[in-house]
Amino acid sequence: MSAAPTIFVDADACPVKEEIYRVARRTGCPVQVVTNSFMRVPPDVTLTVVDAGPDIADNWIAERVQPGDIVVTNDIPLASRTLKAGGAALGATGKAFTESSIGAALAQRELMEHLRSFGEGGGGPKPFSAADRSRFLSALDAAVMKAKRR
């Protein structure tokens, strides 16, 4: 097995930070939390506070992700950039972004932005559930094990 992957967390709206910390401790993965405002993190987690502004945290992560690393984000363009860099991208509900799914996800995002510009759509995401949390834990475990086998 190779070295443990770094888990990057696009943290500003991430509802599964505690789950990430638990999996990381159990699997020996370093965690890099990236945000544009200070937040408390455990002493074994690295916090990086970047300037506020669109895509600054995403750019910071995308510039540093290495093949085998894992990025936890709901940001589809960041997920796409992660895949291009050879990393794995997971949404907070445990949905893994893949080379085969990212194109459709980007297209749907564009369509929803277009509809919102006309006052359509909206409503935001569904409330985060216990099933989402459980699915995320399983998906993160699987992603770490896959990265360690690389």
Side-chain angles (χ1 to χ4, degrees):
M1 282 203 182
S2 65
T6 296
I7 301 172
F8 289 91
V9 184
D10 183 7
D12 290 323
C14 180
V16 288
K17 288 187 280 293
E18 291 302 321
E19 288 77 3
I20 294 166
Y21 305 153
R22 281 202 317 260
V23 170
R25 279 186 202 105
R26 192 176 71 249
T27 58
C29 294
V31 177
Q32 177 74 58
V33 171
V34 184
T35 178
N36 58 27
S37 59
F38 179 81
M39 64 177 53
R40 289 190 186 284
V41 297
D44 58 342
V45 169
T46 303
L47 175 68
T48 299
V49 179
V50 297
D51 291 335
D55 300 328
I56 293 176
D58 299 346
N59 291 339
W60 192 97
I61 293 169
E63 290 163 7
R64 287 160 181 82
V65 70
Q66 299 291 309
D69 287 343
I70 300 165
V71 175
V72 178
T73 185
N74 288 325
D75 185 89
I76 296 166
L78 175 56
S80 178
R81 292 168 71 187
T82 299
L83 294 174
K84 284 186 176 102
L90 279 181
T93 60
K95 178 180 188 230
F97 294 98
T98 64
E99 291 293 339
S100 59
S101 71
I102 199 71
L106 284 165
Q108 182 176 2
R109 177 181 179 270
E110 250 179 64
L111 174 64
M112 295 310 291
E113 278 184 3
H114 183 71
L115 289 174
R116 279 191 296 275
S117 74
F118 289 105
E120 300 292 323
K126 295 183 301 194
F128 198 73
S129 70
D132 292 331
R133 200 170 300 280
S134 176
R135 195 169 35 255
F136 174 79
L137 277 166
S138 295
L140 182 57
D141 260 335
V144 168
M145 293 308 134
K146 182 177 179 183
K148 283 184 162 192
R149 284 192 305 267
R150 284 178 65 115

